[in-house]
Amino acid sequence: MTSPNPTPKLVLCELGETNIPGLESYSPFCLKVHRGLKYLGLPYERRHGIPSSFKKYHATGQVPVLLIGENEAVGDSTDILKRIQKLAGRTFHGTDDPKLAAEALLWEEFADNALAGFFMASRWADDRNWPKLRDLIFAGMPSPLKAVIGGQIRRRIVNGLVARDIWRAGPEVCWRRFQETLDSLEARAPEEGFWLGTFSTADIALVGLLHGLRNDLTAWQRDLIAARPRLSRYLDRVNTATS
């Protein structure tokens, strides 16, 4: 895979700064793109805003969106990772091995769907974490409005988690399943190197969802991950490789 032309200007449209060292974004999907761009050594600019402010670039009105030059906008973190590998003229795993690429995609789908459900539940449904998220997102809004508008948005998102079976049986079942998933990841995590042996999209996706929980916004989930030493060491290695 070669890139005969100079890399065009890249602008990553995303949420605001976290002010947390080592955590570029509160969005796990924006975090994925940050880490992919850095691993490939592609320079880029950042443009912050609420998701709907970028709808003119991508119809979903979601972040991330990567602006490429003057005429191209790519949304969805999976599509962005595919596109930047073409821009860089190389794959994350360094070869054109279709079997490795396919397995990496399966792990990315696992992270973006299964782990993302737990991620959203941690932020929006978990009563231990919701006050911190509410105060962060709606900072500057009068308290009465914060309670009303925040509560409305929270109910809508939690209803979506119920529809996806993440929260249908309630918090006890959700967090039992989350801990079982972490136990499986702990047993699977490599003692050295990366998830599939060589670095791949799987590593970027897993670190986006799991490292994104390792902060005070989701303190209980952070501590659960910290209690899995193999998994924690693996995440640290990926952070080092993509920072």
Side-chain angles (χ1 to χ4, degrees):
M1 183 184 292
T2 59
S3 180
N5 300 315
T7 303
K9 179 181 177 180
L10 303 178
V11 179
L12 178 58
C13 302
E14 56 165 340
L15 303 178
E17 296 278 3
T18 68
N19 296 317
I20 299 175
L23 187 70
E24 296 92 334
S25 177
Y26 286 118
S27 162
F29 303 109
C30 293
L31 184 58
K32 277 176 62 181
V33 176
H34 275 289
R35 298 310 179 84
L37 288 164
K38 289 181 177 181
Y39 186 82
L40 293 171
L42 293 173
Y44 63 101
E45 299 176 8
R46 304 174 67 176
R47 185 174 300 173
H48 298 135
I50 60 174
S52 60
S53 66
F54 302 121
K55 195 168 185 178
K56 59 185 176 182
Y57 301 122
H58 198 264
T60 63
Q62 297 176 319
V63 291
V65 175
L66 185 67
L67 305 182
I68 303 172
E70 298 295 327
N71 301 309
E72 183 179 0
V74 183
D76 186 273
S77 61
T78 297
D79 290 340
I80 293 173
L81 292 187
K82 291 176 182 176
R83 184 69 179 92
I84 63 176
Q85 289 175 89
K86 292 181 179 179
L87 286 173
R90 63 188 180 98
T91 62
F92 291 118
H93 48 275
T95 72
D96 291 322
D97 181 350
K99 183 176 180 181
L100 179 59
E103 188 170 358
L105 178 61
L106 290 174
W107 279 106
E108 184 181 12
E109 287 296 307
F110 164 77
D112 287 358
N113 290 280
L115 292 182
F118 294 125
F119 186 99
M120 292 294 289
S122 299
R123 290 269 184 88
W124 291 91
D126 193 331
D127 290 334
R128 293 165 294 201
N129 301 329
W130 165 243
K132 294 180 182 177
L133 180 68
R134 179 195 59 209
D135 292 344
L136 174 71
I137 293 177
F138 303 105
M141 184 178 289
S143 294
L145 282 178
K146 185 187 298 184
V148 173
I149 295 175
Q152 290 174 344
I153 294 174
R154 186 191 190 199
R155 283 191 293 274
R156 176 174 56 80
I157 291 175
V158 171
N159 286 339
L161 293 170
V162 169
R164 291 175 55 191
D165 276 342
I166 302 297
W167 203 251
R168 187 183 300 275
E172 183 177 346
V173 172
C174 176
W175 301 130
R176 173 177 56 78
R177 290 174 56 204
F178 179 58
Q179 292 183 76
E180 291 170 350
T181 300
L182 290 181
D183 287 341
S184 297
L185 292 171
E186 170 74 3
R188 169 63 178 77
E191 282 286 7
E192 298 179 353
F194 300 107
W195 203 255
L196 301 178
T198 187
F199 188 87
S200 72
T201 308
D203 300 296
I204 296 174
L206 289 169
V207 84
L209 271 299
L210 293 172
H211 183 61
L213 290 172
R214 298 202 296 177
N215 59 78
D216 289 343
L217 272 182
T218 47
W220 186 76
Q221 290 78 10
R222 174 200 64 200
D223 292 345
L224 288 179
I225 294 171
R228 276 78 177 173
R230 285 169 58 114
L231 182 59
S232 295
R233 289 194 296 271
Y234 159 75
L235 293 173
D236 291 340
R237 288 196 300 276
V238 178
N239 277 329
T240 298
T242 58
S243 295

